Amino acid sequence: MPEFTASERVVGRNSEYVVGERLGEGGFGLAFVATAADGRRVVLKQLRVARMGDWKAMELFEREARVLASLAHPNIPRCHEFFATDGARAVDPADIAQLGGDASLVLVQDHVDGASLAARIAAGERMTAAQAEALLRELLGVLDYLHGLHPPVVHRDIKPANIVVTPAGEPMLIDFGAIQERLRRDSEVGSTTVGTFGFFPMEQVLGKARPASDLYALAMTMVVALTHRQPDELPIDPETSKVVVRSACPGLPERLARALDGMLEPAVGRRLASARDVLVVLAGDALQRRENSLPVPAARSLPPAVYKAPLYTGGAAALLLYGFFFDAFSETDLVALSFVWLPLVLFGLGARLNDSIAGGLRWAVLGTLLLGVFILGVFPAL
């Protein structure tokens, strides 16, 4: 079917919609403001099958659209329905084959009233550090929700244009279209860069986006909103290629500067790994470095001479008996002479391993008892 036009009536499975102005184009299709039958304003995203290239791409988008339809968070526009239509009737997307090749997938979401951060920046509106921190905390809550799903949902295109602030001051994260771009990349050659240049980190360029990639984009968005400077205009450390947050945004509270700094690490392994980690930093707590959490061996208190003297003495006695005087004693004598050296060796080993004289005595006594049992009970039968 052709793209929607103003005043056109679109019949869904749950409601009817009167199409209004066109919002824009991206990914596989178009977005329109519309009015539902109950009077609420919604956004219709029309995804034309003919523009998807192949059925595999459509299958992948449908799978991801169902994930989006399952999202439930107050700072994400609610999805009302997802259907396929040929203009005359609407069916479940799984039954789109019934409609023929010129059908569309339609995703219906809440329309968010308010202005995007991009529009506010363009209008010259400035945020205070306190306002920026409050906004950051709310958006970290959204990312904590998305990244905590199974599997995690990574937005991949966080930027000022995709954060709308409502008249009540609530931020809304919109436009999950980069997810469909990732899926399209899986079925097409090329198109490896997903997101908006300047707001995504290096691993995303390589097609390896992960939850920490959204943290980088969110921090860059906040710095741009605070400075009204685009990413390529921000001061960069020439040695690390990292945005110098304190130079770009002088006067920030230290906890906010540390949080943004940790989110903007170019190397994903050094970056704050989760939204909760960032909230810990914003609370004024320092994250424990991973290597510091490994157990540290306790310092030894037993002097080395305590275990080395008997260990070496017993070892030397065994070497003399069995190396130099082996032929001077009978087999029975050699076994009995084990009482000369074995307790010393066992005491040294026990003291070394347990770091105590008591540990050495336990090993020596136990070894002596076992040797006695062997000599009295086992050796005569051999």
Short mmCIF file of all heavy atoms in Angstrom, two decimals, residues 137 140 255 258-259 272 274-288:
data_model
loop_
_atom_site.label_atom_id
_atom_site.label_comp_id
_atom_site.label_asym_id
_atom_site.label_seq_id
_atom_site.Cartn_x
_atom_site.Cartn_y
_atom_site.Cartn_z
N ARG A 137 19.74 11.28 36.10
CA ARG A 137 19.28 10.21 37.00
C ARG A 137 18.03 9.52 36.46
O ARG A 137 17.91 8.29 36.51
CB ARG A 137 18.99 10.78 38.39
CG ARG A 137 20.24 11.13 39.20
CD ARG A 137 19.87 11.75 40.54
NE ARG A 137 21.03 12.07 41.34
CZ ARG A 137 21.65 11.21 42.14
NH1 ARG A 137 21.19 9.97 42.24
NH2 ARG A 137 22.71 11.57 42.84
N LEU A 140 18.99 7.37 33.49
CA LEU A 140 19.71 6.17 33.95
C LEU A 140 18.72 5.12 34.45
O LEU A 140 18.93 3.91 34.27
CB LEU A 140 20.69 6.53 35.06
CG LEU A 140 21.95 7.27 34.61
CD1 LEU A 140 22.71 7.81 35.83
CD2 LEU A 140 22.86 6.37 33.77
N ARG A 255 30.87 15.00 41.82
CA ARG A 255 30.24 13.70 41.58
C ARG A 255 29.67 13.60 40.17
O ARG A 255 29.76 12.56 39.52
CB ARG A 255 29.15 13.44 42.61
CG ARG A 255 27.97 14.40 42.54
CD ARG A 255 26.91 14.10 43.59
NE ARG A 255 25.79 15.01 43.46
CZ ARG A 255 25.74 16.22 44.00
NH1 ARG A 255 26.79 16.65 44.69
NH2 ARG A 255 24.68 16.99 43.85
N ARG A 258 32.63 13.31 37.73
CA ARG A 258 33.21 11.97 37.76
C ARG A 258 32.31 10.97 37.04
O ARG A 258 32.79 10.07 36.36
CB ARG A 258 33.43 11.52 39.21
CG ARG A 258 34.64 12.14 39.86
CD ARG A 258 35.09 11.37 41.09
NE ARG A 258 34.08 11.34 42.12
CZ ARG A 258 33.57 10.22 42.63
NH1 ARG A 258 33.95 9.05 42.17
NH2 ARG A 258 32.66 10.27 43.58
N ALA A 259 31.00 11.12 37.20
CA ALA A 259 30.08 10.20 36.54
C ALA A 259 30.17 10.34 35.01
O ALA A 259 30.29 9.35 34.29
CB ALA A 259 28.65 10.45 37.01
N LEU A 272 32.35 2.99 32.83
CA LEU A 272 31.36 2.50 33.78
C LEU A 272 30.44 1.52 33.05
O LEU A 272 29.95 1.81 31.96
CB LEU A 272 30.56 3.66 34.37
CG LEU A 272 31.36 4.60 35.30
CD1 LEU A 272 30.51 5.79 35.70
CD2 LEU A 272 31.86 3.86 36.52
N SER A 274 27.47 -0.10 33.91
CA SER A 274 26.02 -0.17 34.01
C SER A 274 25.45 1.13 34.56
O SER A 274 26.17 1.94 35.17
CB SER A 274 25.61 -1.33 34.93
OG SER A 274 25.93 -1.03 36.28
N ALA A 275 24.15 1.30 34.35
CA ALA A 275 23.47 2.49 34.87
C ALA A 275 23.58 2.54 36.39
O ALA A 275 23.73 3.61 36.99
CB ALA A 275 22.01 2.49 34.43
N ARG A 276 23.53 1.40 37.03
CA ARG A 276 23.63 1.37 38.49
C ARG A 276 25.02 1.81 38.96
O ARG A 276 25.16 2.44 40.00
CB ARG A 276 23.30 -0.03 39.02
CG ARG A 276 21.84 -0.40 38.77
CD ARG A 276 21.45 -1.70 39.43
NE ARG A 276 20.07 -2.05 39.10
CZ ARG A 276 19.42 -3.08 39.62
NH1 ARG A 276 20.04 -3.87 40.49
NH2 ARG A 276 18.18 -3.33 39.27
N ASP A 277 26.05 1.45 38.19
CA ASP A 277 27.39 1.92 38.53
C ASP A 277 27.46 3.44 38.50
O ASP A 277 28.08 4.07 39.36
CB ASP A 277 28.42 1.34 37.55
CG ASP A 277 28.72 -0.12 37.81
OD1 ASP A 277 28.31 -0.64 38.85
OD2 ASP A 277 29.38 -0.75 36.95
N VAL A 278 26.82 4.04 37.50
CA VAL A 278 26.82 5.50 37.39
C VAL A 278 26.08 6.12 38.58
O VAL A 278 26.52 7.12 39.16
CB VAL A 278 26.18 5.96 36.06
CG1 VAL A 278 26.23 7.49 35.96
CG2 VAL A 278 26.88 5.33 34.87
N LEU A 279 24.97 5.51 38.96
CA LEU A 279 24.20 6.04 40.10
C LEU A 279 25.01 5.94 41.40
O LEU A 279 24.88 6.80 42.27
CB LEU A 279 22.88 5.27 40.24
CG LEU A 279 21.85 5.56 39.14
CD1 LEU A 279 20.70 4.58 39.20
CD2 LEU A 279 21.34 7.00 39.23
N VAL A 280 25.85 4.92 41.51
CA VAL A 280 26.72 4.81 42.68
C VAL A 280 27.68 5.99 42.73
O VAL A 280 27.90 6.61 43.78
CB VAL A 280 27.50 3.48 42.66
CG1 VAL A 280 28.63 3.49 43.69
CG2 VAL A 280 26.57 2.30 42.92
N VAL A 281 28.26 6.33 41.57
CA VAL A 281 29.18 7.47 41.51
C VAL A 281 28.44 8.77 41.81
O VAL A 281 28.94 9.64 42.53
CB VAL A 281 29.86 7.54 40.12
CG1 VAL A 281 30.74 8.77 40.02
CG2 VAL A 281 30.70 6.28 39.89
N LEU A 282 27.23 8.91 41.29
CA LEU A 282 26.44 10.12 41.55
C LEU A 282 26.07 10.24 43.03
O LEU A 282 25.84 11.35 43.53
CB LEU A 282 25.17 10.12 40.70
CG LEU A 282 25.35 10.44 39.22
CD1 LEU A 282 24.04 10.26 38.48
CD2 LEU A 282 25.87 11.86 39.03
N ALA A 283 26.02 9.11 43.71
CA ALA A 283 25.74 9.15 45.15
C ALA A 283 26.95 9.56 45.96
O ALA A 283 26.88 9.70 47.18
CB ALA A 283 25.24 7.78 45.61
N GLY A 284 28.07 9.75 45.26
CA GLY A 284 29.28 10.18 45.94
C GLY A 284 30.17 9.05 46.37
O GLY A 284 31.17 9.27 47.07
N ASP A 285 29.85 7.81 45.96
CA ASP A 285 30.66 6.65 46.33
C ASP A 285 31.60 6.30 45.19
O ASP A 285 31.23 6.38 44.02
CB ASP A 285 29.78 5.44 46.63
CG ASP A 285 28.84 5.72 47.80
OD1 ASP A 285 29.26 6.43 48.72
OD2 ASP A 285 27.70 5.21 47.77
N ALA A 286 32.81 5.90 45.54
CA ALA A 286 33.78 5.46 44.53
C ALA A 286 33.60 3.97 44.28
O ALA A 286 33.50 3.19 45.22
CB ALA A 286 35.21 5.74 45.00
N LEU A 287 33.55 3.60 43.02
CA LEU A 287 33.45 2.18 42.68
C LEU A 287 34.76 1.49 42.99
O LEU A 287 35.83 1.99 42.69
CB LEU A 287 33.11 2.01 41.19
CG LEU A 287 31.66 2.25 40.80
CD1 LEU A 287 31.53 2.15 39.29
CD2 LEU A 287 30.74 1.24 41.46
N GLN A 288 34.66 0.29 43.57
CA GLN A 288 35.86 -0.51 43.83
C GLN A 288 36.36 -1.06 42.51
O GLN A 288 35.60 -1.63 41.74
CB GLN A 288 35.51 -1.68 44.77
CG GLN A 288 36.70 -2.45 45.30
CD GLN A 288 37.31 -1.77 46.51
OE1 GLN A 288 36.73 -0.84 47.03
NE2 GLN A 288 38.46 -2.24 46.93
#
